[in-house]
Amino acid sequence: MDFAQALAGHLKAIDTRDLDGFLATVHPDASVILPNGTLLDGKQAIADFHAAWFDDSDWSIRTETVRAETMGDAAFAVLSVLYDDLDPEGTPYQKKYYLTLYFTRRDERWLLVHDQNTFV
């Protein structure tokens, strides 16, 4: 699978809230930095967070790839993101930001190793 296909699969799993499909794209030692600055370290922490997030039906996310590059067994993508959600009081809000995803190729599969996801 080439990187573009792997990235598309990763993003589709997020968009459709497919936890198993999402986790199939995550490296065991991956990390995620959440919009509030919290670090999720390791696939289990990422799985726990995403299980709860995917159960929340209030949000939607739209992405557009700004740049994607592969360098041997490493790749990254910079995405422009439009994120819509409800705050704890039920008031809608929208965030526009950039998201950077780093992947590595392992056994002919591209796996996410780091997700930098911080609102401005």
Side-chain angles (χ1 to χ4, degrees):
M1 172 183 306
D2 72 14
F3 178 62
Q5 292 171 313
L7 178 61
H10 179 80
L11 296 174
K12 182 179 179 184
I14 293 170
D15 187 51
T16 61
R17 295 169 170 81
D18 175 3
L19 185 61
D20 291 334
F22 172 77
L23 292 174
T25 69
V26 177
H27 189 279
D29 298 321
S31 57
V32 173
I33 298 179
L34 298 175
N36 65 6
T38 299
L39 174 66
L40 302 177
D41 192 19
K43 191 171 184 175
Q44 188 58 56
I46 293 167
D48 293 344
F49 171 83
H50 281 80
W53 185 45
F54 286 1
D55 281 344
D56 178 1
S57 62
D58 295 340
W59 59 269
S60 67
I61 190 168
R62 286 171 277 167
T63 61
E64 181 178 328
T65 302
V66 174
R67 181 176 177 195
E69 299 285 338
T70 58
M71 296 148 282
D73 288 337
F76 75 92
V78 177
L79 306 170
S80 174
V81 176
L82 188 60
Y83 180 82
D84 292 289
D85 203 349
L86 300 177
D87 71 13
E89 289 77 37
T91 304
Y93 70 92
Q94 184 176 78
K95 294 285 187 175
K96 295 178 183 180
Y97 61 98
Y98 290 103
L99 168 65
T100 303
L101 303 173
Y102 294 92
F103 287 76
T104 188
R105 188 169 30 210
R106 184 176 184 184
D107 299 326
E108 300 307 313
R109 294 180 51 231
W110 289 101
L111 298 176
L112 179 76
V113 290
H114 184 70
D115 173 331
Q116 178 68 46
N117 187 354
T118 306
F119 293 159
V120 180

